[in-house]
Amino acid sequence: MLRHLLGILVGIYLILAVSCQSRSFFDMNCPQNISVNLRKCEVFVESRLYFSDFRHWTSELESVVKVSLDVTCSSKGVFILPWPMKARGLIKLNVKGCVLAEYFSESLTPTNLKDELLELSLENCVIASNVKHSIDAFNKPVSQEIGCGQQTLQRSVWRNISYTNTNDMADITIDDFLKFFSSLDQFLNRIIQIRYRCKYSYLEYIDESIGSIRSKHSILIMTAYSDFPKLHTFLWTYNGYSSVPKELTDWRKYFPQLELLDLSYNNITKFNFLGAPFTNTVSKPEPLVIDLTYNSVTEIPVDMPDYLTGSVAIIVDLTGNPLMCDCNFLRYKNYVMHALKIFQKYKNLSRITCHSVIMHRKIQLVNYSNNNC
């Protein structure tokens, strides 16, 4: 009995020692600005960092204290960061260059913590997940806490995020793959039928750029059960898209306050941003700017003049596209010249060029004419 009691005491001692070490680590790396009750943590990860340790540390702070956490990893750094990344008082989380492990490990466990995060930024990170765990997650109901994440967000950045699996591929059977792909269709159908809605009432900025393996269903999933009433900036660059998703064509319905839609550096060949009629659009003096620079656009919509006559004018920037000097381009020129009479600050559009097959050179928009159209 004494032997077992000693074992328990030693175990308690070790737990306390680890906790104290964790507290001292974050106390050292999280100086407090007393005047604003903010502790700003800056951590460089050489090997491993556990979000659970950070969460335990924040649980012992005074309730009025807010915390920001900036994590940068070495080439071997791993951050054990389970979604939905909740910790008491955490209002800002920035992570750069990390492998994010055990990402779905808490997907079935309620955190009992309120949403507080205002800014989330993940850049140049790799999400490492267990394929079998992912399959299990696909096949179980998703709670609102997991499905929505933190609805207090004002700014959300997921830039250059890639994925890897932690399984030995020899352990993954054909049945596992078949189960995964069949469940993917079921998952998409289930998303459309989700009864709760995510209300991102404060979210103004989204950057989900540089995703070479981003699913074609990404924006469908984003908008199927979520509302973005205040989103004004949406960056979706370098994602390899060859067409504009329907949800962005119908931006008035899903993103009614949008001011900048950046789709630059994709492979888009044609576009339509007038979308279906939507009666709830509020008139605004400033236009929606759609950045289609450096895509593969060659076709200009015949209804281009209508882009300036709706309740919200639309400015489309086609810099760097393979536009030919033809009637298509003349249509775009007429649209641009009309737009510049209303919004002079977009005069850079007048320098967009087309390629002349006859003259074997580029011609600036402002100098282009065509009497055959």
Side-chain angles (χ1 to χ4, degrees), residues 124-144:
N124 305 323
C125 291
V126 178
I127 295 177
S129 60
N130 182 295
V131 172
K132 290 188 176 182
H133 291 171
S134 300
I135 292 172
D136 290 340
F138 271 126
N139 285 288
K140 292 179 180 177
V142 178
S143 68
Q144 184 169 4

Side-chain angles (χ1 to χ4, degrees), residues 139-180:
N139 285 288
K140 292 179 180 177
V142 178
S143 68
Q144 184 169 4
E145 181 181 40
I146 299 302
C148 298
Q150 300 202 43
Q151 298 175 68
T152 47
L153 280 175
Q154 298 175 0
R155 181 182 177 91
S156 175
V157 176
W158 295 66
R159 188 173 180 84
N160 193 21
I161 304 300
S162 56
Y163 301 86
T164 187
N165 74 78
T166 58
N167 300 82
D168 182 344
M169 293 308 293
D171 295 334
I172 307 298
T173 66
I174 293 177
D175 286 342
D176 288 328
F177 276 111
L178 292 175
K179 185 178 180 182
F180 174 75

Side-chain angles (χ1 to χ4, degrees), residues 55-67:
R55 183 166 54 203
H56 178 73
W57 174 75
T58 62
S59 70
E60 298 181 342
L61 299 175
E62 294 183 17
S63 59
V64 295
V65 175
K66 302 301 180 184
V67 184

